[in-house]
Each structure stands twice: as structure tokens, then as C-alpha cells.
Amino acid sequence: MNQVHLVGNLTQDPEVKKTAAGKSYVQFTVACDDGQDSQGNRRAQFIRCVAWEKIADAVGAYCKKGNKIAVNGRIVNGSYEDPKIKDRRIFTTDVVAASVEFLTSRKDGTSEAVIPE
């Protein structure tokens, strides 16, 4: 079973982009708390995520750097050739969002929203 559930904060403002076919998507990074190390310092994992279409539009419209969100999705591995170094492959791991829940409440007092795919 390939399921991922993340809760964390956005590391930057999301920017919605379009594919050549006009499909909207957004790539964003979620900083997730990873407990403390042996010296008591807080640790975080920075997880790359991607959302498509309706979810991408909602994330782009309502989220900004620092907002707490929950992402449910699946892990997708990929690779591409490094354009700067011949014969070098770069391997990637991303979470493709199936749903995103906004956990930071808006100033006008509206409740949380869940955006399913």
C-alpha cells in the first residue's frame, strides 16, 4: 500500500503553473516535525509535494509560507538527466497529493477546508 499522511508547514508561497496542455499544478515543500535529536534539538524533514488541477488551484489561492497543512497522497519516484553533467541521473521522490487540508485558520474565522482530488 502506497499511502502518505503528512502534517507540517509550507516552506514557501506556492506558485501554480500550467503544463503545455493547460493542466494546472503546484509543487511545494512541507516541513514536518521529526522530534528531537539526542541533544534535545528539534529536527524537521522537508518533503517535496505536488498537487494537480483542483487541489493545485486551491493550494495556490489559499495557502502561503508558514501555513500548516495536512497532505494525503502517494509517493512517486522519478529521475532525469542532469543537464549540467553528462551521464548523471538525478533521482527524485515526491508526494502526489490526493487531498490537502488547510489547518491554519483564516482571520475571518472560517473553518478548515479539505480539498479532495
PDB file of all heavy atoms in Angstrom, residues 48 77-85 87-93:
ATOM      1  N   ARG A  48       9.011  17.087  -0.434  1.00  0.00           N
ATOM      2  CA  ARG A  48       8.522  17.705  -1.668  1.00  0.00           C
ATOM      3  C   ARG A  48       7.175  17.093  -2.039  1.00  0.00           C
ATOM      4  O   ARG A  48       7.007  15.873  -2.014  1.00  0.00           O
ATOM      5  CB  ARG A  48       9.510  17.497  -2.813  1.00  0.00           C
ATOM      6  CG  ARG A  48      10.763  18.275  -2.652  1.00  0.00           C
ATOM      7  CD  ARG A  48      11.753  18.072  -3.764  1.00  0.00           C
ATOM      8  NE  ARG A  48      11.342  17.145  -4.805  1.00  0.00           N
ATOM      9  CZ  ARG A  48      11.861  17.139  -6.011  1.00  0.00           C
ATOM     10  NH1 ARG A  48      12.781  17.989  -6.343  1.00  0.00           N
ATOM     11  NH2 ARG A  48      11.459  16.254  -6.906  1.00  0.00           N
ATOM     12  N   ASN A  77       8.458   8.008  -7.298  1.00  0.00           N
ATOM     13  CA  ASN A  77       9.882   8.171  -7.574  1.00  0.00           C
ATOM     14  C   ASN A  77      10.071   8.476  -9.048  1.00  0.00           C
ATOM     15  O   ASN A  77       9.321   7.989  -9.890  1.00  0.00           O
ATOM     16  CB  ASN A  77      10.657   6.898  -7.221  1.00  0.00           C
ATOM     17  CG  ASN A  77      10.642   6.623  -5.741  1.00  0.00           C
ATOM     18  OD1 ASN A  77      10.891   7.517  -4.942  1.00  0.00           O
ATOM     19  ND2 ASN A  77      10.336   5.402  -5.366  1.00  0.00           N
ATOM     20  N   GLY A  78      11.081   9.275  -9.349  1.00  0.00           N
ATOM     21  CA  GLY A  78      11.382   9.601 -10.734  1.00  0.00           C
ATOM     22  C   GLY A  78      12.863   9.876 -10.906  1.00  0.00           C
ATOM     23  O   GLY A  78      13.632   9.834  -9.943  1.00  0.00           O
ATOM     24  N   SER A  79      13.256  10.146 -12.130  1.00  0.00           N
ATOM     25  CA  SER A  79      14.640  10.513 -12.397  1.00  0.00           C
ATOM     26  C   SER A  79      14.703  11.310 -13.690  1.00  0.00           C
ATOM     27  O   SER A  79      13.794  11.265 -14.511  1.00  0.00           O
ATOM     28  CB  SER A  79      15.518   9.267 -12.503  1.00  0.00           C
ATOM     29  OG  SER A  79      15.179   8.514 -13.636  1.00  0.00           O
ATOM     30  N   TYR A  80      15.787  12.064 -13.827  1.00  0.00           N
ATOM     31  CA  TYR A  80      16.040  12.811 -15.048  1.00  0.00           C
ATOM     32  C   TYR A  80      17.545  12.987 -15.195  1.00  0.00           C
ATOM     33  O   TYR A  80      18.301  12.819 -14.234  1.00  0.00           O
ATOM     34  CB  TYR A  80      15.316  14.164 -15.044  1.00  0.00           C
ATOM     35  CG  TYR A  80      15.738  15.089 -13.930  1.00  0.00           C
ATOM     36  CD1 TYR A  80      16.759  16.022 -14.123  1.00  0.00           C
ATOM     37  CD2 TYR A  80      15.124  15.051 -12.684  1.00  0.00           C
ATOM     38  CE1 TYR A  80      17.152  16.873 -13.105  1.00  0.00           C
ATOM     39  CE2 TYR A  80      15.506  15.896 -11.664  1.00  0.00           C
ATOM     40  CZ  TYR A  80      16.517  16.810 -11.885  1.00  0.00           C
ATOM     41  OH  TYR A  80      16.903  17.649 -10.873  1.00  0.00           O
ATOM     42  N   GLU A  81      17.991  13.299 -16.407  1.00  0.00           N
ATOM     43  CA  GLU A  81      19.412  13.511 -16.640  1.00  0.00           C
ATOM     44  C   GLU A  81      19.791  14.924 -16.231  1.00  0.00           C
ATOM     45  O   GLU A  81      19.088  15.877 -16.543  1.00  0.00           O
ATOM     46  CB  GLU A  81      19.758  13.263 -18.102  1.00  0.00           C
ATOM     47  CG  GLU A  81      19.764  11.796 -18.444  1.00  0.00           C
ATOM     48  CD  GLU A  81      20.471  11.512 -19.745  1.00  0.00           C
ATOM     49  OE1 GLU A  81      21.429  12.225 -20.090  1.00  0.00           O
ATOM     50  OE2 GLU A  81      20.045  10.559 -20.403  1.00  0.00           O
ATOM     51  N   ASP A  82      20.901  15.041 -15.530  1.00  0.00           N
ATOM     52  CA  ASP A  82      21.418  16.337 -15.112  1.00  0.00           C
ATOM     53  C   ASP A  82      21.865  17.099 -16.358  1.00  0.00           C
ATOM     54  O   ASP A  82      22.733  16.620 -17.095  1.00  0.00           O
ATOM     55  CB  ASP A  82      22.597  16.137 -14.157  1.00  0.00           C
ATOM     56  CG  ASP A  82      23.069  17.429 -13.519  1.00  0.00           C
ATOM     57  OD1 ASP A  82      22.831  18.512 -14.110  1.00  0.00           O
ATOM     58  OD2 ASP A  82      23.673  17.360 -12.444  1.00  0.00           O
ATOM     59  N   PRO A  83      21.281  18.265 -16.635  1.00  0.00           N
ATOM     60  CA  PRO A  83      21.656  18.994 -17.847  1.00  0.00           C
ATOM     61  C   PRO A  83      23.085  19.556 -17.800  1.00  0.00           C
ATOM     62  O   PRO A  83      23.665  19.867 -18.829  1.00  0.00           O
ATOM     63  CB  PRO A  83      20.632  20.121 -17.927  1.00  0.00           C
ATOM     64  CG  PRO A  83      20.117  20.276 -16.541  1.00  0.00           C
ATOM     65  CD  PRO A  83      20.244  18.938 -15.882  1.00  0.00           C
ATOM     66  N   LYS A  84      23.657  19.649 -16.594  1.00  0.00           N
ATOM     67  CA  LYS A  84      24.996  20.224 -16.450  1.00  0.00           C
ATOM     68  C   LYS A  84      26.106  19.181 -16.520  1.00  0.00           C
ATOM     69  O   LYS A  84      27.233  19.502 -16.877  1.00  0.00           O
ATOM     70  CB  LYS A  84      25.099  20.977 -15.131  1.00  0.00           C
ATOM     71  CG  LYS A  84      24.138  22.135 -15.040  1.00  0.00           C
ATOM     72  CD  LYS A  84      24.183  22.777 -13.685  1.00  0.00           C
ATOM     73  CE  LYS A  84      23.104  23.845 -13.604  1.00  0.00           C
ATOM     74  NZ  LYS A  84      22.862  24.277 -12.258  1.00  0.00           N
ATOM     75  N   ILE A  85      25.796  17.933 -16.150  1.00  0.00           N
ATOM     76  CA  ILE A  85      26.808  16.883 -16.114  1.00  0.00           C
ATOM     77  C   ILE A  85      26.319  15.706 -16.956  1.00  0.00           C
ATOM     78  O   ILE A  85      25.304  15.076 -16.637  1.00  0.00           O
ATOM     79  CB  ILE A  85      27.091  16.427 -14.668  1.00  0.00           C
ATOM     80  CG1 ILE A  85      27.556  17.613 -13.826  1.00  0.00           C
ATOM     81  CG2 ILE A  85      28.116  15.302 -14.652  1.00  0.00           C
ATOM     82  CD1 ILE A  85      27.704  17.306 -12.361  1.00  0.00           C
ATOM     83  N   ASP A  87      25.793  12.101 -18.513  1.00  0.00           N
ATOM     84  CA  ASP A  87      25.683  10.749 -17.952  1.00  0.00           C
ATOM     85  C   ASP A  87      25.441  10.729 -16.447  1.00  0.00           C
ATOM     86  O   ASP A  87      25.837   9.793 -15.765  1.00  0.00           O
ATOM     87  CB  ASP A  87      26.930   9.916 -18.288  1.00  0.00           C
ATOM     88  CG  ASP A  87      27.078   9.701 -19.785  1.00  0.00           C
ATOM     89  OD1 ASP A  87      26.037   9.658 -20.477  1.00  0.00           O
ATOM     90  OD2 ASP A  87      28.224   9.576 -20.242  1.00  0.00           O
ATOM     91  N   ARG A  88      24.816  11.748 -15.913  1.00  0.00           N
ATOM     92  CA  ARG A  88      24.475  11.778 -14.485  1.00  0.00           C
ATOM     93  C   ARG A  88      22.959  11.859 -14.353  1.00  0.00           C
ATOM     94  O   ARG A  88      22.331  12.749 -14.915  1.00  0.00           O
ATOM     95  CB  ARG A  88      25.121  12.967 -13.792  1.00  0.00           C
ATOM     96  CG  ARG A  88      24.771  13.018 -12.327  1.00  0.00           C
ATOM     97  CD  ARG A  88      25.511  14.126 -11.615  1.00  0.00           C
ATOM     98  NE  ARG A  88      25.095  14.168 -10.230  1.00  0.00           N
ATOM     99  CZ  ARG A  88      25.099  15.260  -9.500  1.00  0.00           C
ATOM    100  NH1 ARG A  88      25.529  16.390 -10.014  1.00  0.00           N
ATOM    101  NH2 ARG A  88      24.693  15.223  -8.264  1.00  0.00           N
ATOM    102  N   ARG A  89      22.387  10.923 -13.607  1.00  0.00           N
ATOM    103  CA  ARG A  89      20.944  10.914 -13.367  1.00  0.00           C
ATOM    104  C   ARG A  89      20.660  11.466 -11.975  1.00  0.00           C
ATOM    105  O   ARG A  89      21.364  11.154 -11.023  1.00  0.00           O
ATOM    106  CB  ARG A  89      20.384   9.503 -13.487  1.00  0.00           C
ATOM    107  CG  ARG A  89      20.433   9.012 -14.930  1.00  0.00           C
ATOM    108  CD  ARG A  89      19.413   7.972 -15.244  1.00  0.00           C
ATOM    109  NE  ARG A  89      18.036   8.394 -15.280  1.00  0.00           N
ATOM    110  CZ  ARG A  89      17.475   9.101 -16.263  1.00  0.00           C
ATOM    111  NH1 ARG A  89      18.180   9.527 -17.264  1.00  0.00           N
ATOM    112  NH2 ARG A  89      16.198   9.378 -16.231  1.00  0.00           N
ATOM    113  N   ILE A  90      19.622  12.256 -11.895  1.00  0.00           N
ATOM    114  CA  ILE A  90      19.140  12.785 -10.628  1.00  0.00           C
ATOM    115  C   ILE A  90      17.878  12.001 -10.289  1.00  0.00           C
ATOM    116  O   ILE A  90      16.971  11.882 -11.114  1.00  0.00           O
ATOM    117  CB  ILE A  90      18.807  14.294 -10.730  1.00  0.00           C
ATOM    118  CG1 ILE A  90      20.008  15.090 -11.233  1.00  0.00           C
ATOM    119  CG2 ILE A  90      18.278  14.819  -9.418  1.00  0.00           C
ATOM    120  CD1 ILE A  90      21.185  15.096 -10.304  1.00  0.00           C
ATOM    121  N   PHE A  91      17.827  11.464  -9.076  1.00  0.00           N
ATOM    122  CA  PHE A  91      16.658  10.700  -8.633  1.00  0.00           C
ATOM    123  C   PHE A  91      15.818  11.560  -7.699  1.00  0.00           C
ATOM    124  O   PHE A  91      16.354  12.286  -6.865  1.00  0.00           O
ATOM    125  CB  PHE A  91      17.109   9.409  -7.948  1.00  0.00           C
ATOM    126  CG  PHE A  91      17.797   8.478  -8.887  1.00  0.00           C
ATOM    127  CD1 PHE A  91      19.175   8.514  -9.039  1.00  0.00           C
ATOM    128  CD2 PHE A  91      17.073   7.589  -9.669  1.00  0.00           C
ATOM    129  CE1 PHE A  91      19.817   7.674  -9.934  1.00  0.00           C
ATOM    130  CE2 PHE A  91      17.706   6.749 -10.566  1.00  0.00           C
ATOM    131  CZ  PHE A  91      19.079   6.790 -10.701  1.00  0.00           C
ATOM    132  N   THR A  92      14.501  11.479  -7.860  1.00  0.00           N
ATOM    133  CA  THR A  92      13.584  12.303  -7.083  1.00  0.00           C
ATOM    134  C   THR A  92      12.550  11.446  -6.364  1.00  0.00           C
ATOM    135  O   THR A  92      12.219  10.352  -6.813  1.00  0.00           O
ATOM    136  CB  THR A  92      12.835  13.304  -7.993  1.00  0.00           C
ATOM    137  OG1 THR A  92      12.053  12.570  -8.947  1.00  0.00           O
ATOM    138  CG2 THR A  92      13.799  14.226  -8.724  1.00  0.00           C
ATOM    139  N   THR A  93      12.064  11.961  -5.259  1.00  0.00           N
ATOM    140  CA  THR A  93      10.946  11.356  -4.533  1.00  0.00           C
ATOM    141  C   THR A  93       9.985  12.481  -4.181  1.00  0.00           C
ATOM    142  O   THR A  93      10.385  13.476  -3.570  1.00  0.00           O
ATOM    143  CB  THR A  93      11.423  10.649  -3.259  1.00  0.00           C
ATOM    144  OG1 THR A  93      12.356   9.630  -3.621  1.00  0.00           O
ATOM    145  CG2 THR A  93      10.260  10.030  -2.510  1.00  0.00           C
TER     146      THR A  93
END
